[in-house]
Amino acid sequence: RNGISPGCLSRAHMSSVVQLVSCIIMENRHVTIDGPQLTTSLCHAKIHAIIHKDLEMRKVCALWVSKELNPK
């Protein structure tokens, strides 16, 4: 057994999914969770977790922006 629960993604695969979701958002900051969900075939909750926990982004005025805003 590889320590991965059935239905879970490996760390390497998860890293590539996080990068893919990031690229989708950066290409179109107005995208909803449905955009990455359709591309990756992951559930709404998993995409939500990637955006909010892994990428540390949130919607502001319908745009995804970093949670840690700075003067720039």
Side-chain angles (χ1 to χ4, degrees):
R1 184 164 176 169
N2 59 9
I4 299 172
S5 302
C8 292
L9 299 173
S10 69
R11 287 182 196 227
H13 184 75
M14 190 62 204
S15 176
S16 64
V17 171
V18 170
Q19 288 177 341
L20 176 60
V21 171
S22 177
C23 288
I24 292 167
I25 291 172
M26 297 310 283
E27 285 178 9
N28 177 8
R29 296 263 180 131
H30 292 282
V31 73
T32 64
I33 289 179
D34 294 338
Q37 186 178 3
L38 292 172
T39 303
T40 62
S41 299
L42 293 175
C43 68
H44 181 93
K46 191 64 173 173
I47 297 296
H48 185 272
I50 289 170
I51 292 170
H52 291 277
K53 292 181 182 175
D54 296 321
L55 298 176
E56 295 184 342
M57 292 182 161
R58 62 180 170 187
K59 279 278 195 181
V60 176
C61 297
L63 294 175
W64 288 105
V65 297
S66 175
K67 286 183 180 178
E68 306 228 357
L69 297 176
N70 57 34
K72 292 181 182 181

XYZ file of all heavy atoms in Angstrom:
556
model
N 0.844 -1.182 0.000
C 0.000 0.000 0.000
C 0.885 1.239 0.000
O 1.878 1.313 0.702
C -0.903 -0.043 1.215
C -1.849 1.097 1.221
C -2.963 0.869 2.180
N -3.719 2.101 2.143
C -4.869 2.282 2.651
N -5.440 1.308 3.286
N -5.483 3.418 2.566
N 0.495 2.241 -0.758
C 1.323 3.423 -0.916
C 0.964 4.558 0.047
O 1.492 5.650 -0.049
C 1.254 3.945 -2.354
C -0.162 4.304 -2.774
O -1.067 4.316 -1.962
N -0.336 4.580 -4.048
N 0.044 4.353 0.985
C -0.320 5.377 1.949
C -1.327 6.395 1.432
O -1.649 7.356 2.101
N -1.812 6.171 0.233
C -2.788 7.084 -0.352
C -4.156 6.430 -0.297
O -4.320 5.292 -0.724
C -2.418 7.438 -1.809
C -1.059 8.117 -1.850
C -3.471 8.317 -2.439
C -0.530 8.339 -3.253
N -5.108 7.139 0.261
C -6.467 6.595 0.355
C -7.084 6.480 -1.028
O -6.756 7.259 -1.924
C -7.334 7.520 1.211
O -6.778 7.660 2.485
N -7.989 5.528 -1.205
C -8.678 5.419 -2.492
C -9.389 6.733 -2.813
O -10.000 7.349 -1.955
C -9.687 4.302 -2.257
C -9.166 3.538 -1.099
C -8.405 4.523 -0.259
N -9.261 7.183 -4.037
C -9.914 8.416 -4.451
C -9.085 9.664 -4.212
O -9.461 10.752 -4.606
N -7.938 9.532 -3.540
C -7.068 10.680 -3.275
C -6.002 10.777 -4.361
O -5.651 9.802 -5.004
C -6.384 10.552 -1.920
S -7.520 10.696 -0.539
N -5.493 11.985 -4.533
C -4.450 12.209 -5.522
C -3.081 12.094 -4.873
O -2.903 12.457 -3.715
C -4.606 13.616 -6.116
C -5.919 13.909 -6.834
C -5.983 15.387 -7.197
C -6.055 13.053 -8.062
N -2.089 11.606 -5.624
C -0.731 11.584 -5.105
C -0.230 13.012 -4.976
O -0.763 13.938 -5.581
C 0.179 10.806 -6.060
O 0.345 11.535 -7.263
N 0.818 13.222 -4.173
C 1.352 14.579 -3.987
C 1.852 15.164 -5.302
O 1.639 16.338 -5.579
C 2.483 14.563 -2.974
C 2.010 14.377 -1.576
C 3.160 14.414 -0.618
N 2.736 13.868 0.651
C 2.980 14.436 1.805
N 3.648 15.554 1.850
N 2.565 13.899 2.913
N 2.503 14.362 -6.121
C 3.018 14.856 -7.399
C 1.875 15.265 -8.311
O 1.912 16.328 -8.935
C 3.877 13.785 -8.069
N 0.847 14.444 -8.380
C -0.303 14.766 -9.220
C -1.024 15.985 -8.667
O -1.458 16.850 -9.412
C -1.251 13.575 -9.331
C -2.395 13.801 -10.262
N -2.248 13.791 -11.628
C -3.691 14.100 -10.016
C -3.417 14.068 -12.182
N -4.310 14.256 -11.223
N -1.153 16.058 -7.338
C -1.829 17.187 -6.709
C -1.098 18.479 -7.012
O -1.720 19.508 -7.280
C -1.921 16.956 -5.201
C -2.796 17.921 -4.491
S -4.489 17.782 -5.087
C -5.055 19.385 -4.670
N 0.222 18.455 -6.995
C 1.023 19.641 -7.303
C 0.746 20.133 -8.717
O 0.606 21.333 -8.943
C 2.504 19.322 -7.132
O 3.286 20.429 -7.506
N 0.636 19.219 -9.655
C 0.356 19.620 -11.034
C -1.064 20.158 -11.174
O -1.315 21.078 -11.952
C 0.596 18.468 -12.011
O -0.297 17.413 -11.771
N -2.003 19.622 -10.393
C -3.380 20.123 -10.416
C -3.433 21.535 -9.843
O -4.099 22.409 -10.389
C -4.335 19.172 -9.645
C -5.701 19.798 -9.477
C -4.442 17.834 -10.351
N -2.699 21.779 -8.760
C -2.649 23.115 -8.157
C -2.082 24.111 -9.175
O -2.615 25.210 -9.344
C -1.826 23.116 -6.853
C -1.573 24.537 -6.366
C -2.530 22.303 -5.772
N -1.033 23.722 -9.872
C -0.449 24.595 -10.900
C -1.443 24.846 -12.026
O -1.551 25.968 -12.522
C 0.836 23.985 -11.452
C 1.986 24.034 -10.483
C 3.230 23.351 -11.026
O 3.154 22.557 -11.959
N 4.361 23.654 -10.430
N -2.169 23.838 -12.423
C -3.165 23.982 -13.484
C -4.269 24.945 -13.061
O -4.648 25.842 -13.818
C -3.763 22.622 -13.852
C -4.890 22.631 -14.888
C -4.411 23.222 -16.199
C -5.426 21.223 -15.091
N -4.773 24.785 -11.838
C -5.818 25.683 -11.332
C -5.289 27.112 -11.275
O -5.986 28.055 -11.667
C -6.339 25.217 -9.953
C -7.255 26.253 -9.331
C -7.055 23.877 -10.081
N -4.056 27.283 -10.838
C -3.452 28.613 -10.787
C -3.389 29.238 -12.183
O -3.740 30.410 -12.357
C -2.044 28.530 -10.195
O -1.431 29.797 -10.203
N -2.974 28.473 -13.171
C -2.897 28.979 -14.549
C -4.274 29.376 -15.074
O -4.424 30.416 -15.720
C -2.271 27.936 -15.462
S -0.514 27.716 -15.204
N -5.280 28.564 -14.788
C -6.642 28.858 -15.240
C -7.112 30.179 -14.648
O -7.682 31.023 -15.343
C -7.611 27.708 -14.859
C -7.275 26.454 -15.660
C -9.059 28.113 -15.074
C -7.951 25.194 -15.157
N -6.845 30.378 -13.362
C -7.264 31.617 -12.702
C -6.483 32.815 -13.234
O -7.062 33.877 -13.480
C -7.102 31.496 -11.173
C -8.133 30.509 -10.630
C -7.241 32.854 -10.495
C -7.947 30.153 -9.172
N -5.186 32.656 -13.422
C -4.369 33.782 -13.886
C -4.726 34.188 -15.319
O -4.599 35.350 -15.682
C -2.882 33.451 -13.769
C -2.435 33.220 -12.332
S -2.946 34.501 -11.176
C -1.784 35.779 -11.570
N -5.170 33.241 -16.136
C -5.590 33.557 -17.504
C -6.873 34.369 -17.528
O -7.068 35.203 -18.399
C -5.793 32.275 -18.313
C -4.513 31.612 -18.726
C -4.751 30.321 -19.488
O -5.910 30.026 -19.850
O -3.761 29.603 -19.710
N -7.772 34.100 -16.571
C -9.051 34.801 -16.516
C -9.454 34.949 -15.059
O -10.017 34.034 -14.466
C -10.129 34.027 -17.286
C -11.487 34.686 -17.194
O -11.628 35.797 -16.692
N -12.500 33.988 -17.672
N -9.169 36.095 -14.480
C -9.437 36.312 -13.056
C -10.931 36.342 -12.738
O -11.314 36.326 -11.586
C -8.785 37.616 -12.596
C -7.281 37.606 -12.688
C -6.699 37.272 -11.344
N -5.247 37.254 -11.404
C -4.489 37.872 -10.543
N -5.013 38.563 -9.564
N -3.184 37.793 -10.645
N -11.788 36.396 -13.750
C -13.235 36.388 -13.523
C -13.802 34.971 -13.501
O -15.002 34.793 -13.307
C -13.962 37.204 -14.602
C -13.676 38.669 -14.523
N -14.277 39.489 -13.603
C -12.832 39.453 -15.228
C -13.827 40.723 -13.752
N -12.949 40.726 -14.729
N -12.968 33.976 -13.689
C -13.423 32.588 -13.747
C -14.066 32.184 -12.415
O -13.678 32.663 -11.356
C -12.250 31.640 -14.116
C -11.278 31.469 -12.971
C -12.760 30.294 -14.565
N -15.066 31.341 -12.497
C -15.690 30.798 -11.297
C -15.060 29.444 -11.000
O -14.248 28.936 -11.779
C -17.213 30.615 -11.493
O -17.421 29.637 -12.512
C -17.875 31.926 -11.871
N -15.451 28.838 -9.911
C -14.919 27.518 -9.554
C -15.292 26.481 -10.616
O -14.593 25.496 -10.803
C -15.410 27.101 -8.150
C -14.706 27.967 -7.108
C -15.177 25.629 -7.878
C -15.103 27.692 -5.676
N -16.347 26.734 -11.362
C -16.768 25.795 -12.413
C -15.702 25.624 -13.491
O -15.560 24.536 -14.052
C -18.070 26.253 -13.061
C -19.246 26.203 -12.100
O -19.171 25.446 -11.110
O -20.228 26.923 -12.332
N -14.951 26.669 -13.806
C -13.917 26.583 -14.850
C -12.866 25.544 -14.521
O -12.679 24.573 -15.269
N -12.149 25.693 -13.397
C -11.165 24.670 -13.031
C -11.796 23.304 -12.763
O -11.190 22.281 -13.020
C -10.539 25.229 -11.744
C -10.801 26.683 -11.775
C -12.080 26.867 -12.536
N -13.030 23.304 -12.281
C -13.708 22.037 -11.989
C -13.922 21.230 -13.269
O -13.686 20.028 -13.297
C -15.039 22.305 -11.288
C -15.741 21.062 -10.822
C -17.040 21.365 -10.086
O -17.446 22.502 -9.975
N -17.674 20.335 -9.595
N -14.340 21.885 -14.324
C -14.554 21.188 -15.595
C -13.240 20.699 -16.188
O -13.176 19.613 -16.753
C -15.269 22.102 -16.584
C -16.722 22.449 -16.246
C -17.249 23.513 -17.199
C -17.587 21.202 -16.280
N -12.191 21.502 -16.058
C -10.892 21.141 -16.628
C -10.252 19.978 -15.886
O -9.664 19.089 -16.506
C -9.943 22.355 -16.592
O -10.564 23.426 -17.296
C -8.614 22.045 -17.228
N -10.350 19.972 -14.558
C -9.668 18.953 -13.756
C -10.543 17.765 -13.384
O -10.027 16.749 -12.938
C -9.151 19.571 -12.441
O -10.268 20.041 -11.685
C -8.176 20.697 -12.705
N -11.843 17.896 -13.507
C -12.810 16.856 -13.110
C -12.811 16.592 -11.609
O -13.260 15.536 -11.168
C -12.545 15.545 -13.861
O -12.689 15.739 -15.244
N -12.299 17.536 -10.816
C -12.351 17.413 -9.362
C -13.656 18.011 -8.852
O -14.268 18.837 -9.519
C -11.165 18.141 -8.715
C -9.787 17.555 -8.977
C -8.716 18.456 -8.389
C -9.670 16.166 -8.398
N -14.044 17.623 -7.658
C -15.285 18.136 -7.085
C -15.131 19.605 -6.679
O -14.024 20.116 -6.521
C -15.715 17.293 -5.884
S -14.636 17.436 -4.462
N -16.266 20.259 -6.519
C -16.319 21.670 -6.147
C -15.523 21.929 -4.863
O -14.757 22.886 -4.779
C -17.780 22.084 -5.964
C -17.974 23.509 -5.597
N -18.187 24.481 -6.537
C -17.987 24.130 -4.392
C -18.316 25.653 -5.918
N -18.210 25.446 -4.623
N -15.682 21.065 -3.868
C -15.010 21.244 -2.578
C -13.489 21.184 -2.725
O -12.765 21.940 -2.073
C -15.487 20.197 -1.586
N -12.984 20.282 -3.574
C -11.529 20.144 -3.764
C -10.974 21.381 -4.468
O -9.921 21.894 -4.080
C -11.215 18.883 -4.566
C -9.752 18.546 -4.575
C -9.283 18.222 -3.175
C -7.871 17.723 -3.174
N -7.349 17.550 -1.815
N -11.667 21.879 -5.491
C -11.225 23.088 -6.184
C -11.247 24.264 -5.213
O -10.323 25.074 -5.176
C -12.110 23.381 -7.418
C -11.984 22.258 -8.450
C -11.758 24.729 -8.033
C -10.613 22.086 -9.044
N -12.295 24.360 -4.399
C -12.406 25.423 -3.402
C -11.210 25.368 -2.446
O -10.591 26.392 -2.137
C -13.719 25.274 -2.634
C -13.981 26.366 -1.668
N -13.532 26.333 -0.376
C -14.652 27.538 -1.804
C -13.905 27.433 0.247
N -14.591 28.175 -0.594
N -10.857 24.177 -1.982
C -9.722 24.017 -1.066
C -8.406 24.408 -1.735
O -7.564 25.066 -1.116
C -9.656 22.573 -0.566
N -8.219 24.020 -2.985
C -6.994 24.387 -3.710
C -6.878 25.897 -3.811
O -5.825 26.473 -3.528
C -6.973 23.743 -5.120
C -6.762 22.231 -5.008
C -5.893 24.379 -5.995
C -6.954 21.479 -6.303
N -7.966 26.559 -4.192
C -7.937 28.010 -4.372
C -7.687 28.717 -3.042
O -6.845 29.613 -2.963
C -9.244 28.507 -5.023
C -9.325 28.010 -6.465
C -9.332 30.028 -4.972
C -10.671 28.241 -7.125
N -8.388 28.314 -2.010
C -8.314 29.037 -0.744
C -7.140 28.618 0.137
O -6.527 29.476 0.772
C -9.629 28.898 0.018
C -10.747 29.624 -0.654
N -10.971 30.964 -0.481
C -11.681 29.203 -1.536
C -12.004 31.343 -1.212
N -12.457 30.285 -1.868
N -6.795 27.346 0.159
C -5.718 26.878 1.049
C -4.369 26.812 0.351
O -3.373 27.294 0.872
C -6.078 25.519 1.637
C -7.249 25.587 2.594
C -7.577 24.244 3.173
C -8.788 24.361 4.097
N -9.225 23.071 4.586
N -4.313 26.204 -0.822
C -3.031 26.036 -1.511
C -2.580 27.324 -2.198
O -1.417 27.709 -2.101
C -3.108 24.901 -2.538
C -3.362 23.556 -1.888
O -2.805 23.300 -0.815
O -4.129 22.759 -2.458
N -3.490 27.976 -2.909
C -3.132 29.191 -3.640
C -3.335 30.458 -2.810
O -2.878 31.530 -3.197
C -3.951 29.289 -4.933
C -3.727 28.160 -5.927
C -4.661 28.313 -7.111
C -2.273 28.117 -6.382
N -4.004 30.327 -1.677
C -4.287 31.446 -0.782
C -4.900 32.630 -1.533
O -4.434 33.758 -1.464
C -3.030 31.875 -0.031
C -2.517 30.804 0.902
C -1.335 31.231 1.714
O -0.663 32.223 1.370
O -1.072 30.557 2.725
N -5.969 32.335 -2.268
C -6.689 33.363 -3.016
C -8.119 33.445 -2.526
O -8.634 32.508 -1.917
C -6.692 33.052 -4.507
C -5.365 33.145 -5.167
S -5.549 32.811 -6.924
C -4.048 33.513 -7.525
N -8.735 34.583 -2.800
C -10.158 34.760 -2.523
C -10.724 35.728 -3.547
O -9.982 36.455 -4.202
C -10.388 35.268 -1.110
C -9.774 36.621 -0.861
C -10.035 37.075 0.536
N -9.226 38.254 0.808
C -9.128 38.818 1.965
N -9.779 38.323 2.981
N -8.393 39.885 2.141
N -12.034 35.737 -3.699
C -12.693 36.629 -4.654
C -12.825 38.013 -4.041
O -13.268 38.171 -2.915
C -14.096 36.140 -4.998
C -14.145 35.059 -6.033
C -14.054 35.626 -7.415
C -14.483 34.576 -8.424
N -14.408 35.040 -9.761
N -12.437 39.027 -4.805
C -12.632 40.418 -4.423
C -13.156 41.123 -5.663
O -12.497 41.135 -6.705
C -11.322 41.082 -3.951
C -11.538 42.560 -3.661
C -10.773 40.370 -2.725
N -14.342 41.652 -5.556
C -14.957 42.327 -6.710
C -14.956 41.421 -7.937
O -14.608 41.835 -9.034
C -14.263 43.640 -7.015
S -14.373 44.834 -5.696
N -15.269 40.154 -7.732
C -15.362 39.144 -8.787
C -14.021 38.804 -9.423
O -13.966 38.208 -10.481
C -16.366 39.552 -9.862
N -12.897 39.153 -8.777
C -11.568 38.766 -9.248
C -10.883 37.939 -8.169
O -11.039 38.212 -6.988
C -10.695 39.992 -9.527
C -11.101 40.900 -10.659
C -10.187 42.115 -10.692
C -11.034 40.176 -11.980
N -10.089 36.949 -8.576
C -9.300 36.202 -7.614
C -8.024 36.978 -7.353
O -7.294 37.339 -8.270
C -8.948 34.811 -8.153
C -10.109 33.897 -8.183
C -10.809 33.511 -9.292
C -10.743 33.265 -7.078
N -11.837 32.674 -8.930
C -11.821 32.510 -7.582
C -10.520 33.274 -5.715
C -12.642 31.755 -6.758
C -11.352 32.516 -4.894
C -12.389 31.768 -5.427
N -7.749 37.285 -6.082
C -6.542 38.004 -5.699
C -5.903 37.312 -4.518
O -6.561 36.579 -3.776
C -6.816 39.490 -5.352
C -7.344 40.236 -6.545
C -7.767 39.608 -4.189
N -4.622 37.569 -4.302
C -3.909 36.988 -3.190
C -4.500 37.497 -1.884
O -4.893 38.645 -1.773
C -2.427 37.363 -3.275
O -1.746 36.891 -2.142
N -4.558 36.640 -0.866
C -5.084 37.057 0.423
C -4.160 38.063 1.087
O -4.576 38.860 1.893
C -5.235 35.838 1.349
C -6.394 34.958 0.992
C -6.516 33.834 1.992
C -7.683 32.928 1.661
N -7.781 31.821 2.599
N -2.879 38.006 0.756
C -1.893 38.888 1.365
C -1.590 40.023 0.417
O -0.621 39.996 -0.330
C -0.640 38.092 1.702
C -0.947 36.898 2.553
C -0.021 36.788 3.730
O 0.883 37.603 3.861
O -0.218 35.844 4.501
N -2.431 41.047 0.437
C -2.233 42.190 -0.440
C -1.127 43.086 0.105
O -0.971 43.242 1.305
C -3.534 43.005 -0.557
C -4.709 42.267 -1.193
C -5.944 43.154 -1.150
C -4.395 41.910 -2.622
N -0.370 43.657 -0.799
C 0.659 44.604 -0.405
C 0.468 45.878 -1.223
O -0.397 45.933 -2.111
C 2.060 44.007 -0.600
C 2.314 43.563 -2.034
O 1.830 44.182 -2.967
N 3.071 42.496 -2.200
N 1.228 46.933 -0.971
C 1.031 48.207 -1.686
C 1.087 48.091 -3.209
O 0.445 48.852 -3.913
C 2.157 49.096 -1.165
C 2.483 48.538 0.176
C 2.263 47.061 0.066
N 1.832 47.140 -3.743
C 1.931 46.978 -5.202
C 0.651 46.426 -5.730
O 0.242 46.538 -6.793
C 3.096 46.051 -5.562
C 4.423 46.657 -5.259
C 5.522 45.706 -5.647
C 6.876 46.281 -5.306
N 7.963 45.432 -5.684
